[in-house]
Amino acid sequence: MLIESELFGHERGSFTGADRRHHGVFERATHGTLFLDEVTEMPMELQVKLLRVLESGTFTRTGGETPLPVDIRFLAATNRQPEEAIKQAKSREDLYYRLKVFQLSLHTLRDRAEDVPLLAEHFLTQIAALEGASKRLTPEALAMLTAYAWPGNIRELKNALYSAYILAGPEITVECLPAEILRPATLALGHTIPIKVGMTVEEVEATTDPCDG
């Protein structure tokens, strides 16, 4: 119900807790672009409703009766091969072909190793803006990141950098990188962080040596 309400909106009193009218993203994105990420992970019943929106050009708020027009450019993305998702009954074939007007296929990050340095610099700039301090990767750490296979693609790279940033001093060294990136070197070094139950984040940071030396 929550996902449906976020997409289509709802009328006051349409379900328990609906104490006011809510405008969903279809309504808020009118005359703009709506990006639907991981569309093959959408529940089947919502895929049916999305298909109706695409076919009719209208939608109805949950609990409502009046169809409202849709004037939106739809962009959809998935990390699955759509054809495989259809075979596995994870996605509707008719929805796939309705969305497939102009298709772009992007290679995974492991096939674009040359992009890792630029992406790493971008994410570290974002992290520095949030945390208030700039940190840089050593050449060795950057080489390790570039050589990694990245099964989790760009999201994994961003999270790995954030983790390393937290552990590092002014420089992010190889030792700061997550264990899965360092294997088998990490296992040989016995790289661990001494964390006990009940410790605060500040206590963990105070007892963990910076990775810049």
Side-chain angles (χ1 to χ4, degrees):
M1 179 62 73
L2 290 177
I3 299 176
E4 184 175 344
S5 173
E6 185 59 28
L7 287 176
F8 300 100
H10 63 254
E11 296 290 355
R12 179 179 179 182
S14 57
F15 55 86
T16 302
D19 55 357
R20 60 181 178 82
R21 173 183 286 176
H22 172 65
H23 299 282
V25 293
F26 286 157
E27 204 164 349
R28 301 199 301 270
T30 297
H31 308 309
T33 300
L34 179 61
F35 175 56
L36 300 174
D37 196 11
E38 303 296 358
V39 69
T40 56
E41 307 302 318
M42 183 181 291
M44 276 295 187
E45 60 270 20
L46 282 184
Q47 291 190 34
V48 172
K49 293 184 178 182
L50 176 58
L51 178 63
R52 289 173 184 163
V53 172
L54 294 171
E55 289 181 338
S56 68
T58 64
F59 73 97
T60 304
R61 297 190 196 102
T62 301
E65 297 179 355
T66 304
L68 302 171
V70 174
D71 182 12
I72 298 173
R73 179 190 295 110
F74 284 96
L75 298 179
T78 176
N79 64 357
R80 294 173 181 261
Q81 289 294 336
E83 295 84 355
E84 289 300 315
I86 292 168
K87 290 179 181 178
Q88 297 169 8
K90 298 288 186 180
S91 184
R92 292 181 60 94
E93 186 174 19
D94 47 4
L95 176 60
Y96 168 58
Y97 287 113
R98 196 69 179 81
L99 287 169
K100 188 183 175 183
V101 177
F102 186 83
Q103 184 173 359
L104 292 174
S105 297
L106 298 179
H107 292 292
T108 60
L109 187 55
R110 64 177 168 270
D111 297 323
R112 297 181 286 129
E114 67 277 7
D115 290 349
V116 171
L118 183 62
L119 288 167
E121 181 181 355
H122 170 70
F123 289 138
L124 283 177
T125 299
Q126 287 186 332
I127 295 168
L130 290 173
E131 300 293 341
S134 295
K135 299 184 181 182
R136 60 187 179 276
L137 286 160
T138 64
E140 295 79 12
L142 182 57
M144 187 74 74
L145 292 175
T146 304
Y148 182 58
W150 299 112
N153 281 306
I154 291 176
R155 289 186 182 91
E156 185 183 8
L157 172 61
K158 183 176 182 179
N159 290 337
L161 286 168
Y162 215 139
S163 172
Y165 178 98
I166 292 169
L167 295 175
E171 286 192 331
I172 299 174
T173 64
V174 168
E175 292 78 12
C176 301
L177 300 177
E180 61 270 17
I181 297 175
L182 299 180
R183 288 191 182 100
T186 299
L187 298 179
L189 292 171
H191 181 72
T192 59
I193 300 172
I195 299 176
K196 298 179 181 179
V197 175
M199 292 178 70
T200 65
V201 173
E202 291 77 12
E203 289 171 336
V204 172
E205 292 178 344
T207 58
T208 303
D209 292 332
C211 302
D212 60 332

